[in-house]
Amino acid sequence: MRAASIAFVYAHPDDETFLSAALIRRLADRGAQSALLLATSGDAGRNGPFAELSPAELGVRREAEMARAAAILGVSRVDYLRRPDGKLAEVDRETLAEDVAAFVNATDAQIVVTFPADGGNGHPDHRAISAAATAAVVSGRCPCVRELYQIYAGALRETDVQPALQLDTAPDWPMKAAALRAHESQAAAIERYFGPLGPEAPERVRYEAFALRWRDGRDWPQADEPALLAQILQATP
């Protein structure tokens, strides 16, 4: 049986660690292949000690930071669309969906994970890549995909949708903190979200949760069978 393949589709380097570090690492520990598609290089995210860098210089730096984080997380492949950071909403949505579909099909992913429709925090780049990834899957352009998950955050929490999977990151926190530290240029943003990276997971952001948006042609399916993602995590490493 071939190893499970999961595609994570996000906007910026560090999104993967903020939102799904424990999931990615646990999948890797069970022999699954996690591939990451980032719509931008994060070259507009100028804060902290590297604010003097030009966008081009920052983009190079952030991709190097991403490579270090990927090694910690166990990501098998990282691809970039290198679209304009902060301006993803201006990219033709159909073109963006086609780009996502090409990546997903190239990785033969059975599962796709992305942002919720509102991006979780309203960020236009998050919303744009969520819409593109969702369109790529539900349109049938990715026949390899069986399940699509969205991060359980933002407005999604205010609906009657419940997470199909929730992970306590406390056992994984040293790994997640190390991956966050790899994104050195984003230290100020990381501290705003997580606080100082101490030895224990901050209670407020301790859990990673994922809602099942689509399965085998059905939108927002009911939990009438174990989620494929949960089955992979329950397998013996």
Side-chain angles (χ1 to χ4, degrees):
M1 182 180 295
R2 70 181 177 88
S5 177
I6 300 90
F8 291 82
V9 181
Y10 292 131
H12 315 103
D14 77 16
D15 290 338
E16 78 301 324
T17 304
F18 270 68
L19 302 171
S20 52
L23 174 59
I24 295 171
R25 183 66 258 177
R26 293 187 196 185
L27 288 168
D29 290 343
R30 285 157 179 77
Q33 301 292 310
S34 292
L36 175 63
L37 178 65
L38 298 171
T40 80
S41 299
D43 51 277
R46 300 171 67 187
N47 62 69
F50 303 100
E52 78 285 355
L53 296 181
S54 70
E57 291 170 332
L58 182 59
V60 170
R61 180 174 187 89
R62 293 200 69 181
E63 290 191 16
E65 292 172 349
M66 182 66 250
R68 292 193 288 274
I72 295 167
L73 298 174
V75 175
S76 58
R77 170 175 173 175
V78 182
D79 283 20
Y80 293 89
L81 297 179
R82 296 192 175 91
R83 296 293 187 175
D85 186 11
K87 299 180 179 179
L88 206 55
E90 299 175 13
V91 178
D92 177 73
R93 186 154 296 181
E94 182 65 16
T95 299
L96 203 54
E98 287 291 341
D99 288 342
V100 172
F103 172 81
V104 170
N105 290 328
T107 58
D108 197 25
Q110 300 157 279
I111 297 167
V112 173
V113 180
T114 191
F115 294 103
D118 71 343
N121 62 359
H123 194 301
D125 285 357
H126 295 184
R127 296 201 308 266
I129 198 62
S130 171
T134 302
V137 172
V138 303
S139 67
R141 279 175 277 194
C142 306
C144 52
V145 176
R146 292 199 53 208
E147 294 181 343
L148 168 67
Y149 290 83
Q150 294 181 343
I151 302 299
Y152 189 69
L156 193 53
R157 289 181 175 272
E158 300 173 8
T159 70
D160 58 1
V161 173
Q162 296 299 310
L165 179 68
Q166 181 166 278
L167 302 180
D168 183 351
T169 68
D172 310 274
W173 178 249
M175 175 280 303
K176 182 162 182 166
L180 287 167
R181 291 188 187 98
H183 291 288
E184 186 181 9
S185 67
Q186 303 308 297
I190 289 167
E191 184 163 355
R192 283 197 300 272
Y193 188 81
F194 291 97
L197 298 179
E200 297 182 356
E203 192 63 33
R204 183 180 60 82
V205 288
R206 177 173 166 176
Y207 293 89
E208 296 176 358
F210 309 87
L212 184 54
R213 168 64 178 81
W214 180 95
R215 175 200 277 153
D216 293 333
R218 292 174 292 159
D219 287 325
W220 301 110
Q222 298 298 312
D224 53 0
E225 61 183 271
L228 179 57
L229 192 55
Q231 292 179 52
I232 295 169
L233 291 175
Q234 290 165 4
T236 302

